[in-house]
Every structure is written in structure tokens, then in C-alpha cells.
Amino acid sequence: MSSNDDQIAQVEHHFGVRFPQDYRDFLGTTGSLSQFVLPADDFLVIDALAELIGINEAGEFQKRFPGAVVIGGDGSRELLVYDFRQDTPPLVTLDVSAEDWSSAIHQATSLSAFLEQFPQTGWKWDDTDSPPS
């Protein structure tokens, strides 16, 4: 097991979750991302593993959103979040000031799907194209 695998395991243990394999692979290869993505021209941040615990502890996020793990966002108010209330956690966005899960907007079923569609679609700002829950 590499030191990166150890770090991933420590962060998963902290949150009491197991990250999806595609996200684990991303953390082990790319690690993080912070750039404007063309042609959507939307800003995308995926946080480094070392930042996850601090980011998630800011603003009592875990208390307001049990089962949430923030992994990134738009560099501003929108947070990219795994919803671990579901067996296969989808990625959703939540505004930093959101009160509860009712504000979540479905982005993708997996990180791979999200990264594949993002250059074309950018951020989704409403739930019109989310799968039925």
C-alpha cells in the first residue's frame, strides 16, 4: 500500500466512508484540479486529499449535511459534494449557505461521468435533468 493509499484510507476513516474507485484513482494520479474548463468556460476545483478534512470541518458542514463529503466546487460559493446517504454516492452541488439537503443539485452519478460531461455542460444550476431519486 502506497503512502497515498494510506492517506486516502485515513481520510475515509475520518468521514466513515469509502470513496468510489474512480475518485480514489483520481486522488492517486491527478490529485487535484483548479482551472477554467473549456468550452464550458466554468471554473472547476477538485481539492487535494490533504485539504479535505479542513474544508469539510469549516462551517459545520458535516452537521448541516450528514453524509456529505465536499471534494471541490466552483471556486466560489458552490461546493461539489459526494452524497454518502446513498449506496453509490452521486455528486451534487450545495451552496455554502444552504440549510439542508433540499438545496442539492445533482451533477453526476460518478466523478468519471462528471469530468467527462463537465467540459460540455459546465455546472448544472437546476434539477431538471437529474435522475429520479
Side-chain angles (χ1 to χ4, degrees):
M1 196 144 114
S2 74
S3 64
N4 194 58
D5 289 338
D6 287 342
Q7 285 181 301
I8 292 171
Q10 287 173 348
V11 172
E12 288 176 329
H13 180 76
H14 178 86
F15 294 116
V17 301
R18 174 151 174 98
F19 292 132
Q21 190 60 49
D22 62 344
Y23 180 56
R24 295 171 65 93
D25 293 344
F26 175 88
L27 290 171
T29 54
T30 309
S32 66
L33 184 82
S34 181
Q35 67 189 46
F36 274 99
V37 179
L38 297 171
D41 202 29
D42 268 351
F43 197 71
L44 173 61
V45 176
I46 298 181
D47 298 308
L49 184 63
E51 300 169 346
L52 290 182
I53 292 174
I55 288 166
N56 279 275
E57 288 180 346
E60 298 190 322
F61 199 77
Q62 300 291 307
K63 286 186 180 141
R64 285 190 292 153
F65 302 96
V69 177
V70 177
I71 66 161
D74 69 352
S76 182
R77 298 179 55 87
E78 295 299 320
L79 303 173
L80 183 62
V81 178
Y82 271 115
D83 180 357
F84 280 100
R85 298 174 305 160
Q86 300 179 42
D87 288 341
T88 304
L91 284 164
V92 301
T93 48
L94 285 163
D95 184 278
V96 293
S97 64
E99 295 297 317
D100 59 40
W101 279 108
S102 66
S103 307
I105 298 171
H106 178 86
Q107 297 293 319
T109 54
S110 69
L111 182 64
S112 301
F114 178 76
L115 293 174
E116 187 177 311
Q117 77 193 21
F118 192 85
Q120 304 308 317
T121 62
W123 295 104
K124 296 176 185 172
W125 299 111
D126 60 47
D127 251 341
T128 53
D129 51 4
S130 70
S133 48

